[in-house]
Amino acid sequence: MQRVKSFLIQVPLWLYFIISVYPLFWMISYSLKDNNEIFVTNPFGLPTQFRYENYINAWTQFNLPQYFMNSVVVSTVATLFIVILALMFSFAIARLRWRFREAVRLYMLVGMFMPLQVIMIPLAILVKDFHLANTYGALIIPYIVIGLPFSSLIFYGFMRDIPSEIEEAACMDGASVYRLFTNIIVPVVVPAIATVVIFQFLNNWNEFMLANILISDESMKTLPLGLLFFQGQYSTDWGGMGAVMTIASLPMVIIYLFFSEQVERAMTMGSAVKG
Amino acid sequence: MDRYLSNKKAILIFLLPALLAYTVVLISPVLQTMYRSFFEWDGLGTAVFNGLDNYKEMFQDPLLMTSLRNGFIFSVVLVVFQIGLGTILALACADPRVKFRKMLKTAYFVPVILSVTVVCQLWIAMYDPTNGLINKLFQIMGISYQQNWLTSPTVSIVAIAFVNAWQFMGYQFSLLYAGVKSIPEQYYEAATIDGCSKWMAHRKVTLPLMKETFKFCFIIAITSGIGAFVQMLIMTNGGPGTSNYTLTFMIYRYAFLENKYGYASAISVLLVAISLVATMIINKVFDRKDG
């Protein structure tokens, strides 16, 4: 009886396991097949003969390396600035003493509840007016700002929990406020920094909506945007399409498999702040 | 100490960069959108004040009803699939008899980190009427329910919503699982002593204690349903016809394809208002169950 029950509990879990993973397995396996095998002879299983040429074609014939490069630059720079600016901001509202810090904190909180669509139009105009269209800045600047509210609040939560004796000690030792920040506060919140880095990097890496509006130049496209245009070009070559998609996904999946626990913690932490 | 920590210059140095960037790039655009919604404006020339005309036009626009309906369908699919099924999976996964838990959790989460473009294109291939996985699978199982998943005006919105539901299931699942895990074991022991079955214990203990988690999950599911856009853009470009339009798709089309920036701004304002009202209602509903 116990064994039957235990089995019954596991059934939905394994069923959903298949639903979650099989589409990805299917994608990777068709990236190694030709059309005949995908459509007729072997649609569901592993490829009988690995056709690596799909990968070589995908990498050499299209702008895939360029898209990759753009995504790396945009995501890295934006994440770096988010961390620096949010650390500084939260230090000012969590540790320094002044009158309106609670009001400023609430002001920043508003940004977390604002649907991004609402700034789409003015942002497109702003980017055009500042001649940022089709530059890295067109994406990096909005991404930094969009990341600020969430990151600041995570840092704020961590910084507030640091005991105030730490400042007394720093003051006694004659450390300036700047040294207090760089040598004491920032090292203490390293776990929070790791969370924010993962969360923001993933967000920036996969952002599509704003990139779609702000970037039209082929050479500046990020990966999610660039991939969109394979659809038409590859409509008859499913293997090539599968290879492109697999190449685009594998780096993130591999990183995730190594750091899965940290990634999940980072992603779910938002709920603690927003809820 | 007080003098040390209220160094005015230091406060400004730490505060200003973030505050300025946030105000210029986020808050001021929000205010501009609200302001521009009262103008007729093509994004380039001078804006002409036209009062509430944009709003009047919006409520007569046949696309608005389509968009609201689709946002509603999208939200319902997300709630049922992610929160309904997600809760069942989270409860099952928390059972001590379950093995390979880490592997299951990892497998559920992988789609979350994939690019939305990849996921959409993968599902375009899966939905393909002749060569796609779904129809082939039905064929093998002898089910005659073959569909033109993405070209049917009635089925496609659900098919598209399902793609979003599938991709972000792992995210909602993690939240729900963390919620289940945060409940102290003693509560269940007490419930068992009182003669509760496992099922009863979950209904009387788990679900009420997870109120905060559910609140957050509902807010994510419903607001992302209302604002849905990317999946429609990639998978069917809002079509067939205009049958897959959502509010964001309307904003996108009027602003960037038809240069009606003022009108699109009014739709943005409506989108924010609906999202806020939905969030407030969810908060109210979950707080009332307290009593």
Side-chain angles (χ1 to χ4, degrees), chain B:
Chain B
M1 261 327 271
D2 259 353
R3 278 209 10 231
Y4 179 64
L5 290 176
S6 41
N7 176 343
K8 287 256 157 41
K9 197 176 132 218
I11 291 170
L12 286 182
I13 289 175
F14 283 110
L15 192 67
L16 277 186
L19 200 60
L20 268 179
Y22 174 75
T23 306
V24 173
V25 182
L26 207 136
I27 296 299
S28 110
V30 170
L31 298 176
Q32 263 184 49
T33 302
M34 291 178 183
Y35 177 71
R36 293 290 188 191
S37 72
F38 300 107
F39 288 82
E40 191 182 330
W41 183 44
D42 63 5
L44 296 169
T46 28
V48 181
F49 181 78
N50 68 355
L52 291 172
D53 282 2
N54 287 332
Y55 290 91
K56 281 183 201 148
E57 188 186 339
M58 179 168 76
F59 286 111
Q60 283 155 10
D61 192 332
L63 281 179
L64 184 71
M65 275 322 287
T66 315
S67 301
L68 291 175
R69 195 204 58 182
N70 286 339
F72 180 75
I73 295 174
F74 216 100
S75 304
V76 170
V77 172
L78 292 187
V79 166
V80 172
F81 190 83
Q82 295 181 334
I83 303 181
L85 186 60
T87 306
I88 295 171
L89 294 175
L91 289 177
C93 197
D95 192 286
R97 283 167 293 195
V98 170
K99 299 192 179 71
F100 306 108
R101 186 173 291 131
K102 194 160 175 283
M103 194 174 99
L104 287 166
K105 280 167 58 192
T106 308
Y108 296 170
F109 206 82
V110 166
V112 178
I113 57 158
L114 296 182
S115 162
V116 65
T117 322
V118 168
V119 170
C120 286
Q121 284 178 334
L122 172 61
W123 280 85
I124 290 175
M126 303 228 300
Y127 282 140
D128 192 280
T130 46
N131 303 316
L133 188 69
I134 308 277
N135 276 352
K136 278 212 170 122
L137 210 63
F138 282 171
Q139 206 181 332
I140 287 177
M141 296 193 297
I143 302 169
S144 57
Y145 191 74
Q146 312 264 319
Q147 292 285 332
N148 290 322
W149 296 100
L150 294 175
T151 48
S152 145
T154 45
V155 175
S156 53
I157 181 71
V158 178
I160 292 172
F162 181 79
V163 174
N164 185 312
W166 175 83
Q167 181 174 12
F168 295 105
M169 166 60 122
Y171 180 62
Q172 297 270 33
F173 168 83
S174 306
L175 296 175
L176 293 163
Y177 181 75
V180 176
K181 275 295 186 193
S182 69
I183 298 166
E185 205 51 46
Q186 295 94 295
Y187 287 34
Y188 293 109
E189 284 160 21
T192 324
I193 291 166
D194 288 350
C196 274
S197 66
K198 190 108 195 171
W199 166 243
M200 276 284 276
H202 277 321
R203 236 185 52 200
K204 299 280 183 202
V205 177
T206 317
L207 299 184
L209 285 176
M210 280 173 63
K211 213 172 55 179
E212 284 302 313
T213 308
F214 277 124
K215 188 158 92 180
F216 183 68
C217 290
F218 269 89
I219 291 175
I220 308 180
I222 290 174
T223 52
S224 55
I226 295 168
F229 168 64
V230 177
Q231 287 84 12
M232 284 79 179
L233 181 77
I234 299 176
M235 298 181 76
T236 66
N237 201 17
T242 55
S243 63
N244 281 342
Y245 267 61
T246 55
L247 285 175
T248 311
F249 210 99
M250 280 178 82
I251 300 170
Y252 174 74
R253 168 172 156 179
Y254 285 119
F256 301 109
L257 306 178
E258 296 187 8
N259 292 330
K260 291 173 74 179
Y261 281 78
Y263 185 49
S265 298
I267 304 169
S268 309
V269 173
L270 180 73
L271 174 75
V272 176
I274 293 179
S275 303
L276 285 180
V277 169
T279 306
M280 271 157 57
I281 292 173
I282 295 166
N283 271 317
K284 264 260 157 57
V285 168
F286 278 91
D287 289 345
R288 205 175 35 198
K289 279 187 184 160
D290 249 342

Side-chain angles (χ1 to χ4, degrees), chain A:
Chain A
M1 191 57 200
Q2 270 305 312
R3 291 189 48 189
V4 174
K5 267 190 174 170
S6 151
F7 175 76
L8 281 179
I9 284 174
Q10 310 219 13
V11 168
L13 291 171
W14 290 105
L15 268 179
Y16 197 78
F17 178 84
I18 296 169
I19 297 174
S20 189
V21 172
Y22 187 75
L24 302 172
F25 167 79
W26 185 66
M27 173 179 90
I28 295 169
S29 59
Y30 83 62
S31 76
L32 292 163
K33 297 174 182 175
D34 61 8
N35 277 358
N36 186 40
E37 211 182 338
I38 299 170
F39 299 148
V40 188
T41 53
N42 177 20
F44 298 107
L46 274 169
T48 47
Q49 175 196 346
F50 284 20
R51 293 176 196 279
Y52 299 108
E53 61 266 30
N54 288 341
Y55 281 83
I56 296 164
N57 288 345
W59 188 256
T60 52
Q61 287 179 9
F62 293 92
N63 284 338
L64 215 51
Q66 177 81 54
Y67 301 148
F68 238 105
M69 203 43 222
N70 292 339
S71 271
V72 169
V73 171
V74 168
S75 308
T76 311
V77 176
T79 305
L80 184 74
F81 275 96
I82 291 171
V83 170
I84 295 171
L85 294 187
L87 277 170
M88 288 166 60
F89 177 84
S90 10
F91 177 67
I93 56 171
R95 307 305 297 190
L96 298 179
R97 292 181 195 171
W98 45 289
R99 233 160 108 202
F100 302 107
R101 56 185 188 164
E102 186 57 21
V104 170
R105 189 178 72 85
L106 292 176
Y107 175 66
M108 185 58 90
L109 193 67
V110 173
M112 292 223 331
F113 297 94
M114 204 45 84
L116 275 187
Q117 293 92 326
V118 72
I119 61 167
M120 218 158 58
I121 298 169
L123 207 57
I125 291 163
L126 198 78
V127 160
K128 201 163 54 183
D129 286 350
F130 282 86
H131 301 287
L132 285 170
N134 290 318
T135 65
Y136 285 136
L139 293 181
I140 291 173
I141 294 169
Y143 288 179
I144 293 172
V145 171
I146 292 160
L148 279 178
F150 168 81
S151 311
S152 303
L153 282 146
I154 293 271
F155 290 146
Y156 173 81
F158 272 77
M159 285 187 192
R160 222 185 22 182
D161 292 341
I162 301 170
S164 63
E165 284 80 22
I166 229 164
E167 274 127 9
E168 280 159 30
C171 181
M172 295 298 174
D173 290 348
S176 69
V177 179
Y178 310 102
R179 277 192 73 102
L180 167 71
F181 174 72
T182 53
N183 293 17
I184 301 172
I185 302 287
V186 170
V188 170
V189 297
V190 163
I193 295 176
T195 300
V196 167
V197 166
I198 295 170
F199 183 86
Q200 299 297 359
F201 190 85
L202 262 169
N203 261 8
N204 297 334
W205 183 267
N206 284 337
E207 204 284 328
F208 178 87
M209 190 176 67
L210 293 178
N212 181 44
I213 292 158
L214 302 174
I215 300 290
S216 55
D217 189 340
E218 185 63 24
S219 66
M220 295 307 291
K221 277 176 183 162
T222 55
L223 209 47
L225 202 55
L227 286 178
L228 190 58
F229 297 89
F230 284 103
Q231 214 167 290
Q233 292 165 330
Y234 261 125
S235 56
T236 51
D237 176 10
W238 281 41
M241 187 72 207
V244 168
M245 284 165 26
T246 307
I247 294 174
S249 310
L250 271 186
M252 278 296 161
V253 173
I254 290 167
I255 293 173
Y256 171 65
L257 292 180
F258 274 107
F259 299 103
S260 58
E261 259 159 49
Q262 287 89 321
V263 174
E264 276 168 57
R265 204 180 315 128
M267 298 295 283
T268 46
M269 203 150 200
S271 70
V273 182
K274 280 197 193 180

